[in-house]
Amino acid sequence: MEQHAGIDSIADRFTRWCGAVVAVLPFGLDRVVPATLLGFALINSFTFAVDLLLLTLLHSVFHLPVPVAFTLAYITAFALAFVLNRTFNFHSHAPMGRQAVVYAVVVLVNYLAFILGVGSALVAIGVDYHVARVLAGGCEAVYMYSAMRWIVFRGKRSEHPVAAGR
């Protein structure tokens, strides 16, 4: 988290806010929950809402088949999640190209296992496609946070304890 001449970026404020919220968690959770987990939850909740909105538009309005609608909505939401997490949550300054390639592999695995695998299987057994996407989303959240924290954005982070996710 660099500050230039007293300038406080939106990303810096987001990180400090996440750290402040985590710091007041009860039952000792403040010692085990990293600020990056809260940041991830907020950013990915937003991009998941974008995903569901696009899914609804593509399937219900434009009548695209569920697998096509899942795919287009998913790609759009995950591109947005990459940029927002890189900037606001993990404060990465590593070369974007390498990270984007690693992220693409992580997302591909996630897509095949959870979106198409779990999501399509649930739709095939009669679960509403919105409910199927939400259930698949719960599985993918655990996988994606872990992959982003320890694989995609694993490089050296700022020494600031909030930026480093404690």
Side-chain angles (χ1 to χ4, degrees), residues 18 34-41 85 89-90 145 149 157 162-165:
C18 288
T36 56
L37 181 59
L38 176 60
F40 175 85
N85 272 295
N89 199 31
F90 295 102
Y145 175 73
R149 180 166 182 188
R157 294 188 200 146
V162 174

Side-chain angles (χ1 to χ4, degrees), residues 122-145:
L122 290 170
V123 169
I125 63 169
V127 176
D128 176 76
Y129 72 98
H130 287 107
V131 175
R133 183 62 186 93
V134 170
L135 293 172
C139 297
E140 79 178 295
V142 172
Y143 168 77
M144 286 303 299
Y145 175 73

